[in-house]
Amino acid sequence: MAGAPKPAKIKTRDRILQASLALFNSEGEAQVSTVDIAAVLGISPGNLYYHFKGKEAIIESMFDEFETELRQVLSAPIEKPLSLEDNWIFIYIIFEEINDFRFFYEGMSSILERCPSLRPRVARLLALKKATTLAILNSLEKQRLVSFIADEKDRLADRIAAHLTFWLQYRAITEKEQTDRARIHDGVYSTVLQIAPYVVAGRADYLEGAAAYFARQGAGKRR
Amino acid sequence: MAGAPKPAKIKTRDRILQASLALFNSEGEAQVSTVDIAAVLGISPGNLYYHFKGKEAIIESMFDEFETELRQVLSAPIEKPLSLEDNWIFIYIIFEEINDFRFFYEGMSSILERCPSLRPRVARLLALKKATTLAILNSLEKQRLVSFIADEKDRLADRIAAHLTFWLQYRAITEKEQTDRARIHDGVYSTVLQIAPYVVAGRADYLEGAAAYFARQGAGKRR
DNA sequence: GTCTATATTAGGATAGAC
DNA sequence: GTCTATCCTAATATAGAC
């Protein structure tokens, strides 16, 4: 009803990005050629090359978008602390972002070899993951919900950053039949459990609460 | 002096495996062609194809060896429990094995795409990593050194298995300048710290002991 | 912006002589 | 076992018409 603008045909450039992402994620970036991408879109390879210099250019353009989104997400809890449950949802969102861009994580070293300009940007993104995790841990610590000694806090933040980065890949190998949804869910639960042993009082309650929360969500149909 | 057999020229087949591993690890498997391998060995591509049907055959053959070695290593603590310090050395050995085969871990999803027969074997290897970790945790638990509630133990084993698998990659991105040695060292320390919060009594002592142990080793020249 | 046609290469792979 | 020579293919990339 509202003055919606005409159907607004999606620009070819964007269709290329969108189709490439889908293909990369399902087939693996290494297994997809520029011809494949053009084929699924029903356009000519020549046309594709009019929009992008090549596969690397496509990847770099995708990364731009991913980086922007993830930076935005990761900055939220640094600005204002979240409640415990909000933290859990927050981890969900991060895993979902990463899952949408999983081809990149799976082929990372080969991609970074071919797109060296991305290397420092990836490194900064990982650093931001750690910083955000640290901010959350600091907030929990200030609320006296958890406590750390020595360099435990810093090390935990590092491990969680790595966990966020690689857990989906780990699970993809160990549980081949899982759906994306199940893998993400499991990843979040697994992150939450990692914090449990540092919970000051009522660690059992925390574990129980988490188990209940994730059983509930697991049955649901988030996304 | 001793009746050493003549210089025993290494068989070409083995030289190919050895050179390929070195190239794969330094350049990335995807960036290395059969021609490259032949070139560094000073043999003809035709000769290489006499020994191996192609790059995939080389990788599969390398994996055979890696699998055998790692299985042997991982089976040790299942058969007989280790002391605390022995466990640390044990983790060192695992990281070293993985580091020697890191091209495989880095390009895993692409390699498994091309060598589907390896997928179940990799999955079983990861399962064995987890089983071994579980065996160690069980042993520590029986000695009353650590304690777990709910499914913490199982989840920790899973996380450590993932940690062993991906930590070197994580560090390779976040700390570009590190040497292999430093990365491995850091990986072991980081694994050890992950167990700390479950230590029943004297967690502070445990942490301090670990820090001292790894400071000492870090200065040393293991390997 | 899009297509058709074509060029260029690099990599994988084989045949046959030595 | 090893080399030379060669082939085949798939993927990248460009030129020029529409």
Side-chain angles (χ1 to χ4, degrees):
Chain A
M1 290 285 193
K6 44 210 127 134
K9 254 177 57 190
I10 312 141
K11 283 211 276 289
T12 299
R13 196 192 134 90
D14 292 327
R15 294 209 308 136
I16 292 172
L17 289 175
Q18 178 211 304
S20 302
L21 180 58
L23 271 181
F24 289 167
N25 276 340
S26 64
E27 314 288 321
E29 182 267 338
Q31 278 68 47
V32 176
S33 72
T34 50
V35 185
D36 294 330
I37 299 169
V40 303
L41 285 170
I43 66 172
S44 68
N47 190 2
L48 187 145
Y49 272 85
Y50 169 78
H51 292 282
F52 293 98
K53 271 202 300 287
K55 226 166 60 156
E56 279 71 37
I58 295 178
I59 293 174
E60 280 171 31
S61 177
M62 284 168 133
F63 184 82
D64 287 345
E65 206 194 334
F66 174 71
E67 188 185 33
T68 307
E69 271 185 47
L70 192 55
R71 290 202 97 87
Q72 200 175 320
V73 171
L74 287 172
S75 301
I78 293 187
E79 280 151 21
K80 58 163 179 27
L82 306 169
S83 78
L84 237 186
E85 272 220 2
D86 282 348
N87 275 320
W88 296 353
I89 292 170
F90 175 71
I91 297 168
Y92 244 107
I93 294 167
I94 295 176
F95 268 114
E96 274 164 0
E97 290 284 341
I98 291 174
N99 188 55
D100 290 345
F101 206 57
R102 62 184 176 280
F103 85 87
F104 186 87
Y105 284 82
E106 279 163 12
M108 184 133 52
S109 56
S110 162
I111 293 173
L112 293 183
E113 210 68 54
R114 283 171 296 145
C115 312
S117 71
L118 297 187
R119 193 179 285 279
R121 294 167 69 188
V122 170
R124 281 197 298 272
L125 217 41
L126 288 199
L128 180 57
K129 273 187 205 166
K130 182 183 170 184
T132 300
T133 306
L134 215 40
I136 292 178
L137 295 180
N138 276 328
S139 153
L140 295 178
E141 196 180 28
K142 204 166 287 174
Q143 296 174 254
R144 306 278 167 127
L145 294 171
V146 300
S147 88
F148 305 98
I149 57 179
D151 58 350
E152 281 185 328
K153 187 169 61 183
D154 185 78
R155 284 285 171 166
L156 176 62
D158 236 338
R159 260 167 17 225
I160 290 182
H163 185 84
L164 292 171
T165 305
F166 290 111
W167 184 259
L168 293 177
Q169 252 181 278
Y170 174 74
R171 265 293 184 259
I173 303 165
T174 55
E175 315 267 340
K176 213 190 152 201
E177 299 304 325
Q178 269 184 334
T179 63
D180 281 15
R181 263 295 285 110
R183 257 197 287 279
I184 293 173
H185 186 74
D186 170 79
V188 180
Y189 183 47
S190 161
T191 312
V192 164
L193 279 202
Q194 197 152 0
I195 298 173
Y198 302 96
V199 169
V200 176
R203 170 164 146 214
D205 290 348
Y206 177 88
L207 285 169
E208 208 178 298
Y213 182 89
F214 286 97
R216 176 154 47 86
Q217 286 287 336
K221 46 189 174 312
R222 236 185 95 81
R223 237 201 197 191
Chain B
M1 293 277 190
K6 45 211 127 131
K9 256 175 56 190
I10 312 142
K11 284 212 274 293
T12 300
R13 195 192 136 89
D14 293 327
R15 294 211 306 139
I16 292 172
L17 290 174
Q18 176 211 303
S20 302
L21 180 59
L23 272 181
F24 289 167
N25 277 339
S26 65
E27 313 288 323
E29 182 268 336
Q31 278 68 48
V32 177
S33 71
T34 50
V35 185
D36 293 330
I37 300 169
V40 303
L41 286 170
I43 66 172
S44 69
N47 189 3
L48 187 146
Y49 272 85
Y50 169 78
H51 292 282
F52 294 98
K53 272 203 298 287
K55 223 166 60 154
E56 279 71 35
I58 295 178
I59 293 174
E60 282 172 30
S61 176
M62 284 169 135
F63 184 83
D64 288 344
E65 205 193 336
F66 174 70
E67 188 185 34
T68 307
E69 269 186 49
L70 192 56
R71 288 203 98 86
Q72 200 176 320
V73 171
L74 288 173
S75 301
I78 293 187
E79 282 151 21
K80 58 165 180 24
L82 306 169
S83 78
L84 237 186
E85 273 220 0
D86 282 348
N87 276 321
W88 296 353
I89 292 170
F90 175 72
I91 296 168
Y92 245 105
I93 294 167
I94 295 176
F95 268 114
E96 275 165 0
E97 290 283 342
I98 291 174
N99 188 56
D100 289 345
F101 206 58
R102 63 184 174 278
F103 84 88
F104 186 87
Y105 284 82
E106 279 162 13
M108 185 132 53
S109 58
S110 164
I111 292 173
L112 292 183
E113 210 68 56
R114 284 171 295 144
C115 311
S117 70
L118 297 188
R119 193 179 285 276
R121 295 168 68 187
V122 170
R124 282 198 297 273
L125 218 41
L126 287 200
L128 180 56
K129 272 187 205 165
K130 182 182 169 186
T132 300
T133 306
L134 215 39
I136 292 177
L137 295 181
N138 276 327
S139 152
L140 295 178
E141 197 181 29
K142 204 165 289 175
Q143 296 174 253
R144 309 278 167 126
L145 294 171
V146 301
S147 88
F148 304 99
I149 58 179
D151 58 348
E152 281 185 327
K153 187 168 62 182
D154 186 77
R155 283 285 171 166
L156 176 61
D158 236 337
R159 259 165 19 225
I160 290 181
H163 185 83
L164 292 171
T165 305
F166 290 112
W167 184 260
L168 293 177
Q169 250 180 279
Y170 174 73
R171 265 295 183 258
I173 303 164
T174 54
E175 314 269 340
K176 214 190 151 202
E177 299 303 325
Q178 266 184 337
T179 63
D180 282 13
R181 264 294 286 113
R183 257 198 287 279
I184 293 173
H185 186 74
D186 170 79
V188 179
Y189 183 47
S190 161
T191 311
V192 164
L193 279 202
Q194 196 153 359
I195 299 174
Y198 302 96
V199 169
V200 176
R203 170 164 146 213
D205 290 348
Y206 176 88
L207 285 169
E208 206 178 298
Y213 181 89
F214 287 97
R216 175 154 47 85
Q217 285 287 336
K221 49 192 174 312
R222 237 187 92 79
R223 254 233 166 167

